[in-house]
Amino acid sequence: MADSRSHRQQAAPQSRHAYEEQAGRSGAGSSSRSYTPSRSDGASSYSRKRQKRRHKVVLRGVLVGILCVLLAGGTALAMYLNNINTQLTSGLDQETKDLLADSIQYDDPFYMLLLGVDKSEERMSSSEYGESESNYRSDSIILARIDPKGQKITLVSLHRDTMTDMSDMGAGTQKLNAAYSLGGPSYMIKCVEKLCGVDISHYAEVDFEQFAGIVDTIGGVDVDLPIDIRDDYSGADLDAGEHTLNGEEALALARARHAYDDYGDGDIYRAANQRMLIAAIVKKVLTLDVASMTNAVSQLAGGVTTDIGLSDILGLAVQFKDLDVENNVYSGMEPTSGYYVNETWYEKIDEASWQSMMERVKQGLAPYADDSSDQTSGRIGTMAGSSELTTSGGTAGSGDDTVSGSSSSDAEYTGTAIVVNVSGVSGAATSKAESLTTAGFTAEATSGESEATTTKVYYNGSAAKAKALGAAKTLGVSESNVAENDGTWTTSYDVVVVLCSDKA
């Protein structure tokens, strides 16, 4: 798991995103030296343990169809298809291939690591970045659980700033996205496997600069935005409502985080939109016939690096032809809390919540047990004409488990609230009060004293319970930490938020 060593928490001198914009590159960890990745110690036993057996099951109809086309088209077409495979896999070194788990039959669930790396033309031509892979960090990190037989796909975003021990690379404590620059895809795979406790079978890397072309190739994606998206940094300028996004617009949305600064950690909202866009792309691709899919993959190959060949991509696509994208594509985010340590922003994992989430994912359930854990709900885009991606067992259509008590539909975003800062982090209560005000509350901030370590939301009178649920959802507080005020805290407000260091 991520580094669990204790670090002295310091009050940040400025907002997280302001600090990162001044720094220029948000991925800076605790060391600026350059490291040459080495896996000599234990690498041979690790590779032997997990040598690949390429016994992949592809639908017989797809194989027969491709064979017939090859026989009919001859050498030229064979060269065309082979060129697609070459483009898809050429960027993957042998070490990365050796680290991937034993290939398994595609009718069994398997895990795949999806990375988005921003190698824009501007960056690659700059003196700061250049063309070397070691100069780049992965801005989007998603663990995908793919279950062809069960017709389910689960997407779990990992926070790029997750505090991670990289002592095995001589780098000490780093952010998770530094793994790519320190050791390339192979080291990122190793770190994610350790973090998530799963074996990763397949890998795909998408260059953000090529993402726009991918969307344009399939004719755009249809989304519905609940709020206006304005982000000067990403270039996103979209009104609330339904859109057919072209490649440039989709890329701007996938990069946008400052549009959500008023709601909290913009990285969380950006990651949620990225998962939604992936689902929208999947939905669009699954409407194509095999010939059109082949053409689309040919167009996409230049911007994607993966270990999966064309025939297997087509085989999986045909297997998922009837996928219910609205209800059976699950979505979630690694639970973390931000800390400012040694002049660097990190996200520390909430170990208990993370273990619970991954147990659900491994069982094929939606990531969250209840809707209140998904703080992005209601603010991120959805696929046009459908509801949000399934995040919890309480979401209609998941059919896996049920949630007792109140649901997110009971939440209200009105009334009076006060945030009592007992964390000792200067300015934390003001920030949370501003988030509540943006959501619709009339909120104030103050300070107090308590030995509590977990943020709680209290309501005064049963009529205010729905307001407390709305406040908890706004601040990312679990519904289990919502309770009626027993008189310990002020009764002059509908809602009292006792803010501890876990949410400060």
Side-chain angles (χ1 to χ4, degrees):
M1 300 299 293
D3 183 18
S4 59
R5 292 177 296 178
S6 61
H7 296 272
R8 181 168 59 89
Q9 180 179 334
Q10 304 173 0
Q14 53 188 319
S15 72
R16 169 181 187 157
H17 293 320
Y19 172 86
E20 290 185 343
E21 296 305 332
Q22 287 183 8
R25 290 174 63 191
S26 61
S30 57
S31 175
S32 60
R33 294 179 298 165
S34 176
Y35 299 91
T36 300
S38 172
R39 301 184 54 88
S40 57
D41 296 334
S44 59
S45 61
Y46 190 76
S47 296
R48 285 196 303 270
K49 174 185 175 183
R50 308 176 60 188
Q51 288 178 347
K52 299 197 299 183
R53 299 188 307 269
R54 294 292 183 184
H55 302 306
K56 301 175 180 177
V57 175
V58 182
L59 290 187
R60 180 178 300 175
V62 175
L63 286 176
V64 172
I66 292 176
L67 179 59
C68 291
V69 173
L70 285 172
L71 291 174
T75 304
L77 186 53
M79 291 177 64
Y80 166 71
L81 297 176
N82 183 65
N83 181 60
I84 296 175
N85 280 325
T86 300
Q87 288 188 69
L88 288 169
T89 62
S90 61
L92 213 57
D93 58 39
Q94 190 58 46
E95 183 178 10
T96 301
K97 294 176 182 178
D98 289 341
L99 285 176
L100 296 173
D102 292 346
S103 293
I104 54 179
Q105 293 185 342
Y106 277 165
D107 54 359
D108 294 327
F110 63 89
Y111 292 92
M112 184 172 187
L113 179 60
L114 308 177
L115 292 188
V117 180
D118 203 348
K119 297 180 181 177
S120 66
E121 183 177 345
E122 180 181 355
R123 284 190 172 190
M124 294 190 74
S125 61
S126 70
S127 58
E128 181 182 6
Y129 290 91
E131 296 184 1
S132 174
E133 184 178 81
S134 63
N135 292 332
Y136 294 89
R137 296 181 179 226
S138 45
D139 290 321
S140 177
I141 309 169
I142 298 177
L143 178 71
R145 181 184 186 271
I146 300 174
D147 182 1
K149 186 176 181 179
Q151 289 288 289
K152 295 178 183 178
I153 296 175
T154 305
L155 303 173
V156 178
S157 294
L158 305 178
H159 207 298
R160 62 178 188 162
D161 293 340
T162 300
M163 181 179 283
T164 308
D165 181 11
M166 299 186 186
S167 299
D168 55 343
M169 296 293 283
T173 299
Q174 295 282 335
K175 298 180 180 183
L176 179 59
N177 69 341
Y180 187 90
S181 61
L182 289 172
S186 61
Y187 190 57
M188 177 60 82
I189 290 169
K190 179 182 177 183
C191 288
V192 172
E193 286 186 329
K194 183 178 180 181
L195 175 69
C196 301
V198 299
D199 289 335
I200 293 173
S201 301
H202 299 289
Y203 172 87
E205 175 185 319
V206 178
D207 183 351
F208 270 132
E209 189 69 6
Q210 304 297 325
F211 182 79
I214 292 173
V215 173
D216 285 335
T217 295
I218 61 174
V221 290
D222 300 322
V223 303
D224 189 357
L225 302 176
I227 63 174
D228 294 340
I229 303 296
R230 307 277 187 255
D231 192 320
D232 292 337
Y233 292 92
S234 76
D237 185 15
L238 299 165
D239 295 330
E242 293 192 5
H243 299 264
T244 297
L245 301 182
N246 62 30
E248 182 179 353
E249 292 168 331
L251 177 59
L253 179 59
R255 283 173 164 164
R257 60 170 170 155
H258 292 285
Y260 298 93
D261 283 346
D262 290 339
Y263 303 110
D265 183 358
D267 282 322
I268 295 176
Y269 293 93
R270 174 172 64 175
N273 276 328
Q274 289 171 353
R275 297 192 300 272
M276 180 275 296
L277 287 169
I278 290 174
I281 290 172
V282 168
K283 183 177 182 180
K284 191 67 171 287
V285 168
L286 292 180
T287 65
L288 305 177
D289 56 38
V290 173
S292 298
M293 285 183 189
T294 302
N295 180 61
V297 173
S298 173
Q299 298 298 315
L300 307 181
V304 177
T305 299
T306 182
D307 66 302
I308 303 179
L310 173 61
S311 62
D312 290 340
I313 291 174
L314 295 177
L316 280 170
V318 174
Q319 283 184 280
F320 275 110
K321 194 70 174 177
D322 297 321
L323 174 67
D324 182 354
V325 179
E326 285 81 3
N327 292 312
N328 288 335
V329 176
Y330 299 162
S331 177
M333 178 86 190
E334 169 201 25
T336 63
S337 296
Y339 291 84
Y340 189 69
V341 180
N342 296 331
E343 300 183 350
T344 302
W345 286 104
Y346 290 101
E347 291 289 328
K348 288 186 179 180
I349 294 177
D350 181 336
E351 294 287 352
S353 298
W354 178 232
Q355 292 290 344
S356 176
M357 176 180 287
M358 283 308 301
E359 283 303 313
R360 292 180 60 83
V361 169
K362 292 173 185 178
Q363 295 174 42
L365 303 177
Y368 303 116
D370 61 79
D371 293 328
S372 65
S373 298
D374 179 19
Q375 61 184 289
T376 67
S377 180
R379 299 193 181 108
I380 62 166
T382 63
M383 292 174 290
S386 65
S387 59
E388 295 179 359
L389 297 182
T390 303
T391 60
S392 79
T395 302
S398 66
D400 289 311
D401 50 7
T402 59
V403 178
S404 60
S406 302
S407 68
S408 62
S409 61
D410 299 318
E412 295 180 6
Y413 299 87
T414 60
T416 59
I418 186 167
V419 182
V420 183
N421 186 4
V422 302
S423 70
V425 179
S426 178
T430 300
S431 174
K432 300 302 182 184
E434 290 174 351
S435 295
L436 291 174
T437 299
T438 301
F441 293 90
T442 301
E444 300 177 12
T446 188
S447 60
E449 295 183 359
S450 174
E451 295 182 357
T453 58
T454 302
T455 298
K456 297 289 183 67
V457 179
Y458 297 98
Y459 55 90
N460 288 307
S462 58
K465 183 177 181 180
K467 297 179 175 64
L469 290 171
K473 193 170 183 64
T474 299
L475 301 179
V477 177
S478 172
E479 187 176 333
S480 62
N481 290 323
V482 175
E484 187 167 8
N485 185 13
D486 61 3
T488 300
W489 305 97
T490 178
T491 58
S492 300
Y493 301 81
D494 295 320
V495 176
V496 180
V497 179
V498 180
L499 182 64
C500 298
S501 58
D502 64 323
K503 295 296 181 182

